[in-house]
Amino acid sequence: MRTQVVIIGGGPSGLLLAQLLHRKGIDTIVLERKTRDYVLGRIRAGILEVGFVDLMREAGVATRLDRECFTHDGTLIAYGNEQFEVNFRKHTGTSVTVYGQTELTRDLYDAREAAGAEIVFNVEDVVIHDAGTDRPSVTYRLEGNEQRIDCDYIAGCDGFHGVSRQTIPLSVRREYEKTYPFGWLGVLSETPPVNEELIYSSSERGFALCSMRNANLSRYYIQCLLSDSPQDWSDQMFWDELRRRIPDAAAEALITGASIEKSIAPLRSFVCEPMRWGRLFLCGDAAHIVPPTGAKGLNTAASDIYYLYHGLIQQFEDNDSEGLERYSEKALARVWKAERFSWSMTNMLHRFPEQSAFDLKMQRAELEFLRENETAQKVFAQNYVGLPY
Ligand code: RFL
Ligand code: PHB
């Protein structure tokens, strides 16, 4: 088999790139290790920056998103019983979009199927060959048979545990990592959201977040121990703990119900440099991870896709390799700023096991400064809605 671009990973990064390239007449084959239902069963991101929404529109897959999304002009930040709003529109003239990763992935799968373009599910043993040469290829096993695709370029969109990053030799690859001593326990429930805007809440008992997917689907998170498992938390325990960590008015307004999904995610910051090796380009979680506090994971994947998409167009349409050569540098410049914002928001809002009384005072001073200072709010808002590409 032969194609122009092999895309490893059928998550949002891989599918978005595939759809954008398809619209420009560039052939791709997407290889996905799992099934479509498995990928759509993962409940993850919910907040999209304007850059992401623009790419969905450019890919021609934003009809349902534009119809069903919520637009949020600000977010609430709470500590103890205090709360304040950071207004994005006032400070940046823009807003963020609430639309679940599950829904946008479904839209991308539907578009790929409607276009009759290829996604190979259930692939095993994917191996990248000769990425450092002009003739790369990818082999994999499907139902026990070895397959091979020759191609011009490879996009490694296979998430944190994929094979693409590991293909970059250790002599070239540099990895930066920070793990946090806690996780997030998330619950999805068919209940109306507690508030119109998200509430990021720092409490003595740990962090909590009130988010949503639609008018009757809420997403809540609480900071938990890394040793916890979702089975340790009954629905009742979860709702009781959430109520203790959010301001009284929200706790009273909270409508609870049966959880339809409950999972724990560890928090990690991670960056791999470079993001390109020869004809292999890493995108999204394959190259970098942020703690979810700033809602930046999926949005940073989108900026990678933007740079790679434009680099590939420049190469295929104008035979100009400048965009591809500068891919890693451009993507990383934006990634590190999203890493910094996610790290600082995580530090500001969570309880850490070894925190001293002094550390707690520092957190409180930072929250009060943000509440009182318009310039600090503007900086927060600029980062939250997304830095320019
Ligand atoms: P994904 O989604 O992990 O997809 C990678 C795909 O590659 C497949 N794969 C392979 N396929 C073929 N061969 C192999 N060897 C393969 N190995 C793996 C996998 O099966 C999978 O289908 O990566 P991608 O596409 O880069 O997308 C990244 C996003 O999923 C991620 O950054 C976000 O979910 C992060 N995130 C959030 N991001 C936001 O921008 N806003 C948010 O509000 C937000 N909330 C979150 C989040 C992540 C969370 N968790 C669970 C980590 C909330 C949470 C709780
Ligand atoms: C979500 O709705 O899943 C969500 C929202 C904001 C975040 C993280 C997750 O910062």
Side-chain angles (χ1 to χ4, degrees):
M1 271 189 287
R2 175 165 176 92
T3 192
Q4 286 172 292
V5 183
V6 172
I7 298 176
I8 306 175
S13 303
L15 294 169
L16 180 60
L17 179 66
Q19 187 61 18
L20 287 162
L21 292 176
H22 171 76
R23 303 262 294 187
K24 292 285 182 184
I26 295 169
D27 273 347
T28 59
I29 296 177
V30 178
L31 301 178
E32 168 55 52
R33 188 171 56 175
K34 303 283 190 185
T35 62
R36 174 185 165 129
D37 285 348
Y38 181 93
V39 175
L40 291 177
R42 294 188 295 222
I43 308 297
R44 288 181 166 188
I47 303 291
L48 307 181
E49 295 173 357
V50 73
F52 198 114
V53 175
D54 285 348
L55 278 178
M56 291 289 282
R57 291 193 184 127
E58 186 163 351
V61 285
T63 312
R64 193 162 72 98
L65 187 159
D66 281 330
R67 192 175 59 233
E68 295 180 7
C69 75
F70 289 167
T71 299
H72 281 196
D73 286 344
T75 187
L76 292 186
I77 298 182
Y79 52 105
N81 249 331
E82 308 281 337
Q83 70 175 43
F84 60 97
E85 191 205 27
V86 177
N87 192 290
F88 309 141
R89 188 152 288 284
K90 178 170 103 186
H91 291 296
T92 70
T94 182
S95 50
V96 295
T97 297
V98 179
Y99 191 69
Q101 179 167 334
T102 314
E103 300 312 312
L104 73 87
T105 309
R106 191 190 308 281
D107 296 341
L108 286 162
Y109 273 133
D110 288 351
R112 182 112 186 130
E113 265 164 32
E118 198 158 358
I119 304 185
V120 189
F121 290 103
N122 295 314
V123 298
E124 293 175 293
D125 298 337
V126 172
V127 181
I128 296 170
H129 306 272
D130 304 321
T133 75
D134 289 350
R135 295 178 179 277
S137 63
V138 176
T139 57
Y140 58 96
R141 268 190 317 114
L142 185 64
E143 292 165 355
N145 299 317
E146 176 94 357
Q147 311 279 339
R148 171 188 165 118
I149 313 174
D150 294 302
C151 58
D152 297 319
Y153 298 99
I154 300 161
C157 303
D158 48 354
F160 185 64
H161 300 288
V163 294
S164 299
R165 187 177 69 250
Q166 314 295 341
T167 305
I168 303 182
L170 280 170
S171 57
V172 178
R173 183 165 27 117
R174 178 115 196 245
E175 297 184 343
Y176 302 82
E177 183 169 30
K178 178 178 176 62
T179 54
Y180 299 82
F182 41 74
W184 275 19
L185 168 65
V187 157
L188 190 69
S189 70
E190 283 169 329
T191 50
V194 67
N195 190 60
E196 269 183 29
E197 291 181 344
L198 269 60
I199 308 176
Y200 287 90
S201 186
S202 167
S203 90
E204 275 174 16
R205 302 178 64 92
F207 171 76
L209 170 61
C210 306
S211 181
M212 68 199 71
R213 292 293 177 272
N214 62 45
N216 199 40
L217 195 56
S218 296
R219 182 71 167 157
Y220 297 102
Y221 298 96
I222 56 174
Q223 174 185 349
C224 66
L225 296 174
L226 280 172
S227 54
D228 283 357
S229 90
Q231 298 91 283
D232 299 337
W233 287 85
S234 68
D235 287 359
Q236 193 58 49
M237 282 163 70
F238 179 87
W239 296 123
D240 288 347
E241 187 58 29
L242 178 66
R243 275 198 195 88
R244 292 188 196 107
R245 295 189 188 189
I246 57 180
D248 291 345
E252 273 156 35
L254 182 70
I255 298 176
T256 63
S259 66
I260 54 173
E261 195 265 358
K262 199 184 278 161
S263 54
I264 292 183
L267 268 66
R268 182 197 309 272
S269 298
F270 175 88
V271 180
C272 165
E273 291 188 346
M275 286 172 60
R276 168 198 170 204
W277 185 61
R279 293 191 170 226
L280 168 65
F281 298 84
L282 302 181
C283 303
D285 280 14
H288 41 75
I289 298 287
V290 286
T293 326
K296 288 282 160 259
L298 187 55
N299 292 304
T300 315
S303 54
D304 296 349
I305 297 302
Y306 174 90
Y307 297 126
L308 181 55
Y309 164 60
H310 285 280
L312 286 168
I313 298 295
Q314 212 178 334
Q315 178 66 51
F316 284 119
E317 290 183 356
D318 305 330
N319 204 21
D320 176 356
S321 61
E322 186 265 352
L324 290 181
E325 271 156 24
R326 292 195 53 211
Y327 168 74
S328 181
E329 172 199 332
K330 286 188 195 171
L332 282 167
R334 192 171 188 278
V335 163
W336 277 115
K337 291 173 197 118
E339 290 282 343
R340 189 210 64 79
F341 178 65
S342 308
W343 161 85
S344 81
M345 210 175 149
T346 304
N347 287 337
M348 180 173 76
L349 294 169
H350 290 73
R351 281 285 175 276
F352 287 74
E354 308 292 322
Q355 243 167 346
S356 66
F358 179 83
D359 296 334
L360 290 169
K361 287 284 187 192
M362 290 298 98
Q363 268 186 338
R364 180 142 187 129
E366 192 175 353
L367 283 159
E368 284 181 357
F369 184 70
L370 183 59
R371 187 184 67 184
E372 291 156 7
N373 190 286
E374 292 277 314
T375 310
Q377 288 186 13
K378 186 172 178 137
V379 170
F380 182 98
Q382 282 174 333
N383 280 284
Y384 196 92
V385 301
L387 298 174
Y389 287 1

